[in-house]
Amino acid sequence: MFSLIGIVLLAFTFASTPLHAKENQSLMIVIKQTHSIDTFTTFGGQTIENVKVGWESYGELNEDKSNVILITHYFTGNSHAAGKYHIDDAEPGYWDAIIGPNKAIDTNRFFVISVDSLVNIGAFDENVITTGPASINPKTQKPYGLTFPVVTMRDFVNTQKSVLESLGIQKLFAVAGPSMGSMQAIEWASAYPQWVERLISVIGSGSADAWTSAYLEQWTVPITMDINFNGGDYYNLPKEQWPTLGLTHALAMITQSALHPNFFIQIGAQIGYTPLEEDALQSISAKPSIVNWLMGRAAERAHLMDANHLLYLVRANQLFVTGMQGTLEEGLKQITAKVLLIPATTDLLLMPYHAEKIDSLLRANEQSSQLEYLSGDLGHLEGVAGIVKHANTIRAFLNDEAPKAANSDNE
């Protein structure tokens, strides 16, 4: 059970380098790479200079570059979707169960690529390359802070598009992602329908409805209320004066939002939690053991993350509507891709009604849509830690008219 915690808290978490992961028996050893954009114009019309994002890939690009699958990551995730950077890493990438040789997303056939988002929350993770509020503004030589432009799902998509185009890629066999990654995948299919042949949306949504937008705002409150927040201007101060407590509370809220009560009940049983604990009874300053457990796990991750970046990610989610032009209906009408929707039945964050609405609208417009449900006790996180339950569904969806592999002549 506790090996899952690394995933849970990342969720709601090279000279002459080849363009693919090296395979060591069944383990893929991955090499992180950097893509630079001199000047990037946001969806909101502002410019960002010297943008850098990290990316990694698995499998080989075939001759006509028709075997590309883009994986778009979730809120507190990054481009590390599969494999390991080092053989002794504690955990592989978050979708390693379905990405790799002979897996559902088969790297013997597909070239799979993933990109770190702008304003990635893991701003201080050595394996994350991103541009955001913690980055240096070339014009001032100081960190941007809250002067960084607001960014959207379209901006995440456009930085990914820039990476793909730098590799000579002009078409995606499929785009797939969970949660916020699902939003990016849907935006890809709507904004650039000529690029996308297949779309896999896992635990996702086509737009931030009123409930979701208000719910997400709660994640920002501990940060902005932290006495050390200082209007987002804290980078020149010692780290002990950063809004780390607020960030930790925000990460705890995100983690609980992403899980189902059954998971917490199981953890409570493992750590011996009971409602009437002596410490909590004797002192108002003491916390129930399950609260200490949750806050402790959040604190373990906070030092790799940035509070301002979290605020920007929340806003990107709040601003999302498929197509970024008006209504969900209008955005979905632009999609020509075959669509596979996989919500989780126990998801209390992006509840199944989000996927069901997409499915209903697509079908009403006689567009391709397949709806399958994930079951289990992990809630929203089923789409990350439990995705292997639908490995065969994904494999079948992708095997329809699958392209030739890079080494197909030798098969």
Side-chain angles (χ1 to χ4, degrees), residues 148-164:
F148 194 79
V150 171
V151 291
T152 67
M153 295 299 162
R154 177 68 65 85
D155 297 314
F156 298 168
V157 165
N158 283 342
T159 55
Q160 294 155 12
K161 186 170 181 281
S162 180
V163 174
L164 295 170

Side-chain angles (χ1 to χ4, degrees), residues 1-314:
M1 178 65 70
F2 282 93
S3 65
L4 177 63
I5 298 306
I7 297 174
V8 166
L9 287 172
L10 279 173
F12 307 163
T13 137
F14 326 173
S16 64
T17 300
L19 295 181
H20 56 85
K22 301 174 184 176
E23 291 172 16
N24 180 2
Q25 298 177 351
S26 62
L27 174 66
M28 297 187 298
I29 301 300
V30 183
I31 300 171
K32 193 81 168 203
Q33 307 205 49
T34 302
H35 176 72
S36 300
I37 305 172
D38 291 338
T39 302
F40 179 81
T41 302
T42 70
F43 179 78
Q46 301 188 60
T47 59
I48 309 171
E49 295 180 5
N50 193 28
V51 167
K52 294 187 184 298
V53 289
W55 64 277
E56 57 191 69
S57 61
Y58 330 95
E60 296 184 19
L61 194 59
N62 65 7
E63 186 175 354
D64 65 359
K65 301 180 181 180
S66 65
N67 68 333
V68 182
I69 295 180
L70 174 67
I71 306 297
T72 46
H73 68 73
Y74 53 94
F75 189 95
T76 56
N78 54 57
S79 64
H80 195 39
K84 292 186 175 184
Y85 297 122
H86 307 285
I87 196 167
D88 57 350
D89 286 352
E91 299 279 355
Y94 64 90
W95 262 6
D96 189 79
I98 59 168
I99 300 173
N102 303 314
K103 295 179 183 179
I105 302 176
D106 188 356
T107 54
N108 290 329
R109 182 168 295 278
F110 296 109
F111 176 74
V112 183
I113 184 169
S114 187
V115 182
D116 292 332
S117 69
L118 291 170
V119 300
N120 191 287
I121 195 172
F124 307 113
D125 186 332
E126 64 179 3
N127 293 316
V128 172
I129 301 165
T130 188
T131 298
S135 303
I136 299 297
N137 182 344
K139 294 179 180 178
T140 65
Q141 295 304 309
K142 297 178 180 179
Y144 282 99
L146 299 190
T147 68
F148 194 79
V150 171
V151 291
T152 67
M153 295 299 162
R154 177 68 65 85
D155 297 314
F156 298 168
V157 165
N158 283 342
T159 55
Q160 294 155 12
K161 186 170 181 281
S162 180
V163 174
L164 295 170
E165 290 174 336
S166 75
L167 302 176
I169 296 166
Q170 296 292 329
K171 198 162 186 77
L172 295 172
F173 184 80
V175 57
S179 192
M180 188 184 81
S182 165
M183 299 175 191
Q184 295 165 66
I186 293 170
E187 182 60 18
W188 254 108
S190 178
Y192 302 108
Q194 71 279 11
W195 271 72
V196 181
E197 296 183 18
R198 289 161 186 80
L199 160 64
I200 303 176
S201 165
V202 180
I203 53 171
S205 173
S207 67
D209 60 15
W211 170 267
T212 304
S213 187
Y215 192 86
L216 292 173
E217 186 68 17
Q218 306 311 308
W219 298 357
T220 72
V221 174
I223 290 170
T224 57
M225 294 295 288
D226 190 311
I227 194 171
N228 290 329
F229 179 58
N230 195 36
D233 184 15
Y234 49 80
Y235 297 110
N236 63 327
L237 300 173
K239 264 212 160 181
E240 57 267 23
Q241 297 179 35
W242 289 22
T244 304
L245 181 61
L247 174 59
T248 300
H249 276 275
L251 292 172
M253 291 178 68
I254 292 170
T255 301
Q256 187 165 4
S257 299
L259 290 164
H260 190 270
N262 286 345
F263 181 89
F264 272 79
I265 291 167
Q266 293 173 39
I267 293 296
Q270 290 186 29
I271 66 174
Y273 163 76
T274 64
L276 194 60
E277 293 178 332
E278 186 64 19
D279 287 350
L281 175 64
Q282 296 301 324
S283 172
I284 196 67
S285 299
K287 303 293 183 185
S289 60
I290 190 64
V291 174
N292 289 332
W293 172 85
L294 177 61
M295 294 303 299
R297 297 310 181 274
E300 289 173 4
R301 296 291 179 181
H303 72 284
L304 298 177
M305 299 180 178
D306 183 70
N308 282 337
H309 281 229
L310 188 150
L311 301 183
Y312 276 77
L313 283 172
V314 165

